Amino acid sequence: MNWSEIKNLQSISQKEIPFFPADKFFSDIIESVKNGRRLLNYFGISESDKVKIYCLIADDELSKIFIAYTELNRGESYSSLTIDIPASHLFERELFEQCGIIPEGHPWLKPVRKGIAGINPNETQYEFFKMLGEEVHEVAVGPIHAGIIEPGHFRFSAHGELVHNLEIQLGFQHRGVEKLFVKNDNILYQTKLAESIAGDSVIAHSGTFLRAVESLMNINVSKRVKITRAVMLELERIAVHLGDLSAISNDIAYLTGNSIFGALRTLIINTSMNICGNRFGRGMMKPGGVNFDIDETKRKSLIDTINKVNNDIQIAVDVMFSSASVMERLEKTGIVSKETAIAIGMVGMAARASGISIDARVDHPFGAYQFFPIHKLTLDSGDVFARSYIRFIEIQQSVKIINDLLADFQKGELTVGKNEMQKESFVVSVTEGWRGEIVHCLLTDETGRIKNIKIKDPSFNNWFAIALAVREEGISDFPLCNKSFNLSYCGFDL
Amino acid sequence: MFDLIKARKNHGYQAIKNIADAKILSEHRGFPVIDESKLNGNVESIINSCPTKAISDKPLAINLGKCIFCGECEKISYGAIKFSNNYKIGCDSEKKLAVDSSVTYEKFLDSAIEAKKEIHKIFGRSLKLRQVSAAGCNGCEMELNACGNVNFDMGRFGIDFVASPKHADGIVITGPVSKNMSKALSDAYESISEPKIVIATGACAISGGLFADSKEINRTFFNNVKVDLFIPGCPPHPLVIINAILKFLE
């Protein structure tokens, strides 16, 4: 395969991305995925009637990314990849919706973000999957759900309590994020926009975007900045994992866990506020560095807090996971097997809970992880228990990472000067957020401005896993399964 | 069993006793203090520094409904704009969102949320709210959820979020309102029986925030519906939210 070989955050000229005729392009993709590589991103860019289709394939073991493109006319079709690579089903649906390229033979070419049933009477209404049978009934949930949560539609085909099929239709949150990045050529605005792609991954998304920009500007941030950013990213991970343990406890009416993990989360997000003035890390990141320093006082209080939290979690977790009534709800609920997880291209924490060894901090290291190696954590059972317990061990790991990083926290520049971005270039930035890998692909035009940005939140890979996890489960376990993934609606809808 | 008791004891009592006087870190960016005398011929760069166009000139003013409290203007303003950590920044009319040098925090508090007898009479002891996220990024949603946790415990004031709009006395809106959510938002609002209140939470809900000029946004809902309470922030801290609602019910 003579595709261009790059690394995470390595910017290249667009001329270096090889073009292949469609036949070779698609057969190369199928062959490399069959050989154990992974679809990292796959998207189209329309230029008048022509559509350039880019594909990025990750080799996680070699820490390499392969890239190439092909060109088709709008309305043209090709033989769908989904039959050979189930993980590509959503990428192909998106390509069809955004660029009008038809993946011939796609099993289910339904809307991603547009033309959703019941929203716009002028658009053709999409018909949900129907199960026939006298005693099969449908349960429609959403877009507005019972709690304080983002909107999305869930359609269950059930037989009594038993769920046979769940169809998830998203798109309600679509805000046109990618277009706004291109429309407003102002790096400050773009940074704030990146912070708002998903409100629970502020540091992860803004960091992904800024590292891409810094690579295109050809600037290197100081070691202190890299460590500060990594500390904030790990704090974000600890905070959300704690919040989720609290919410999972709530969903199984284990109120002790709900209270304790909730209160511990408050301590962590207040630590973020102590550093940057915002509980979710907003305002922390800027191009070329960070806006706020972790001075000696703040460093000490941060370490005291995370160590206290780590200690208290241990006490709470011991009680929680030794309770039979808790384990009865978590174990063997919502299983996603390793084979399924690989086939549908799951990423991040949920994939690790199904036994896949995948973590961008190790596979495609960025920032501080380039000089601070960590090890990957996996569990095998792929059930709600695994997705809960992995949160606990990842919190412990994050606490250790922060402690170690801050033990050698030397002075350094908080900001380095900005440059113009390289013209007609391309860069891919991959970050392991708490949910999984975030991928931003940036292309610049002949003046060095952002011409296209393609954002992939880990939710994009993982939503389909929820649909599979609840099959043959009781419908009453759906909230628990859903919470064990805690996927982003906004991150998917953009 | 003993381990459980130990864990509960270690957890202790977490609720903030006096919500109205709760301390907040000095790093928190709350009510902005504006001092025009410190302007240094740099008004234009201050205005341009704002990602949501919340700053206007003559007089120098910040619109709290657009502000995402990122603090970028403060950094280049030589003291003309300073974010204090004062957190009671909710108000009951669009006009009051504009803060200039004549509006000190004390003055703002005096009239920010004016007591209404009928509101107090109907909702003062029990307020049930339906929350609708209309393309909210989950920031405001997480803070609204946090209002109910053991630290802030908004339930003790008789304020709760409910699942059905039919059970609700009002609606709390977050997000800039995407085209794809505009119908669901209207439907939810229509389902709430009169009398009902409308609370807009966060810069996105109040003004569209960072998404104000996106083509995928549809804010016509607000052409026909009057907002009763504005809660600025990105996202607003639970203390901002709870104090605004409590003051509104007073």
Side-chain angles (χ1 to χ4, degrees), chain A residues 172-173 183 189 266 279 291, chain B residues 75 135 143 151 178 210 213:
Chain A
F172 296 90
Q173 296 279 73
K183 188 172 162 189
Y189 172 86
T266 307
R279 306 218 296 172
N291 279 317
Chain B
K75 280 187 249 164
E143 290 299 42
N151 303 103
S178 56
L210 289 161
D213 60 353

Side-chain angles (χ1 to χ4, degrees), chain B residues 4-250:
Chain B
L4 180 64
I5 295 169
K6 209 170 94 188
R8 292 303 297 248
K9 191 163 179 296
N10 187 47
H11 173 59
Y13 183 82
Q14 294 284 344
I16 298 167
K17 280 188 185 142
N18 195 344
I19 286 280
D21 284 331
K23 282 207 176 71
I24 197 162
L25 291 170
S26 60
E27 282 77 6
H28 173 79
R29 288 183 289 279
F31 189 82
V33 181
I34 295 175
D35 183 352
E36 266 188 285
S37 68
K38 290 191 175 150
L39 278 176
N40 200 356
N42 55 344
V43 182
E44 205 168 314
S45 60
I46 292 176
I47 290 173
N48 290 336
S49 74
C50 181
T52 51
K53 305 186 185 84
I55 306 173
S56 53
D57 193 13
K58 289 177 192 158
L60 183 66
I62 294 189
N63 184 324
L64 296 182
K66 292 183 178 175
C67 180
I68 56 167
F69 298 81
C70 64
E72 292 293 338
C73 54
E74 181 176 12
K75 280 187 249 164
I76 56 161
S77 73
Y78 300 103
I81 295 174
K82 236 182 129 23
F83 284 92
S84 70
N85 67 343
N86 289 315
Y87 54 78
K88 292 178 188 167
I89 56 173
C91 63
D92 61 9
S93 86
E94 214 155 356
K95 269 189 203 152
K96 293 174 189 169
L97 289 167
V99 172
D100 59 32
S101 58
S102 72
V103 187
T104 61
Y105 184 54
E106 287 68 29
K107 198 175 156 196
F108 177 81
L109 276 187
D110 268 353
S111 67
I113 301 169
E114 279 161 293
K116 294 183 187 72
K117 257 192 194 154
E118 69 276 16
I119 296 281
H120 177 72
K121 196 176 156 210
I122 302 171
F123 302 121
R125 299 169 73 153
S126 162
L127 179 69
K128 305 293 164 197
L129 297 165
R130 171 63 246 196
Q131 202 276 326
V132 175
S133 167
C137 73
N138 205 17
C140 290
E141 290 77 2
M142 283 193 291
E143 290 299 42
L144 285 166
N145 270 319
C147 289
N149 72 13
V150 287
N151 303 103
F152 299 103
D153 191 17
M154 189 161 71
R156 68 183 129 159
F157 306 112
I159 308 162
D160 286 302
F161 288 98
V162 291
S164 169
K166 301 270 185 199
H167 301 160
D169 305 312
I171 190 167
V172 177
I173 303 164
T174 56
V177 191
S178 56
K179 275 183 191 167
N180 289 353
M181 269 308 285
S182 56
K183 183 173 184 298
L185 174 62
S186 303
D187 286 354
Y189 175 78
E190 295 296 331
S191 305
I192 301 172
S193 52
E194 300 275 1
K196 54 189 165 191
I197 60 170
V198 178
I199 302 176
T201 304
C204 286
I206 299 174
S207 68
L210 289 161
F211 305 95
D213 60 353
S214 169
K215 281 184 182 164
E216 303 296 336
I217 299 302
N218 177 354
R219 296 181 55 78
T220 49
F221 174 82
F222 292 104
N223 296 347
N224 314 316
V225 172
K226 184 184 153 288
V227 175
D228 300 292
L229 184 60
F230 298 87
I231 307 182
C234 184
H237 191 281
L239 287 174
V240 180
I241 300 169
I242 300 175
N243 277 298
I245 298 177
L246 286 179
K247 183 78 188 169
F248 183 70
L249 296 179
E250 229 171 59

Side-chain angles (χ1 to χ4, degrees), chain A residues 352-419:
Chain A
R352 291 194 288 277
S354 286
I356 303 180
S357 177
I358 180 176
D359 189 328
R361 289 173 292 177
V362 180
D363 303 331
H364 304 281
F366 53 91
Y369 307 98
Q370 286 169 337
F371 54 82
F372 184 83
I374 63 165
H375 61 277
K376 295 192 258 188
L377 302 169
T378 55
L379 293 172
D380 294 326
S381 55
D383 52 4
V384 174
F385 167 73
R387 288 187 292 274
S388 308
Y389 198 75
I390 202 158
R391 288 183 153 89
F392 163 59
I393 55 178
E394 289 200 7
I395 291 169
Q396 287 184 312
Q397 187 186 37
S398 294
V399 167
K400 187 171 181 324
I401 293 172
I402 296 176
N403 269 308
D404 291 351
L405 282 173
L406 288 183
D408 178 29
F409 195 41
Q410 284 155 15
K411 290 246 171 314
E413 289 295 320
L414 287 189
T415 322
V416 290
K418 285 182 277 187
N419 292 334

Side-chain angles (χ1 to χ4, degrees), chain A residues 329-347:
Chain A
R329 290 295 308 278
L330 305 186
E331 279 188 320
K332 298 194 169 61
T333 303
I335 296 174
V336 181
S337 72
K338 187 174 178 181
E339 292 69 36
T340 307
I342 291 172
I344 63 171
M346 268 172 78
V347 296

Side-chain angles (χ1 to χ4, degrees), chain A residues 239-255:
Chain A
V240 181
H241 281 354
L242 278 170
D244 286 346
L245 283 173
S246 171
I248 289 167
S249 300
N250 190 48
D251 277 353
I252 55 170
Y254 180 67
L255 297 183

